[in-house]
Amino acid sequence: MIFKRSRIFGCSRSSVIQTIAYISDWKKSNLFVTFNSGATYKYSDVPFSHYKTLSKVNRSTDSVGSVFNDIVKGSGYAYEKIS
């Protein structure tokens, strides 16, 4: 039996990101980012700690897009456009 963990939050104040979701099981951990343009990307093997950081930033006045660029996009995680 495979257990999955999934979490999602909306970024209502972000001018770039609409939603961020995290789905993981025992073997994979993926971060899904839907941009305001409608495009969704899957970033592979992103640690849950990055999702938690983005979630905390979303509740503050800091820029979710800037933090996303620093800790996910700038870290070289494999990604693919899924829609």
Side-chain angles (χ1 to χ4, degrees):
M1 181 178 272
I2 297 176
F3 294 100
K4 289 193 175 200
R5 169 193 276 185
S6 63
R7 309 229 178 173
I8 187 168
F9 66 87
C11 303
S12 60
R13 291 188 319 255
S14 178
S15 62
V16 178
I17 298 173
Q18 185 177 39
T19 59
I20 296 178
Y22 189 83
I23 300 174
S24 66
D25 59 26
W26 294 107
K27 295 181 181 183
K28 299 179 203 172
S29 54
N30 297 305
L31 186 75
F32 294 85
V33 180
T34 301
F35 294 91
N36 289 336
S37 67
T40 300
Y41 286 82
K42 176 179 85 169
Y43 294 84
S44 301
D45 300 321
V46 176
F48 186 67
S49 61
H50 287 359
Y51 172 84
K52 286 185 355 185
T53 297
L54 291 166
S55 178
K56 286 179 186 176
V57 168
N58 187 53
R59 294 187 302 264
S60 73
T61 58
D62 295 333
S63 168
V64 175
S66 293
V67 174
F68 168 77
N69 285 338
D70 290 344
I71 67 172
V72 177
K73 201 170 178 184
S75 295
Y77 294 106
Y79 67 92
E80 65 179 293
K81 185 175 183 180
I82 59 171
S83 70

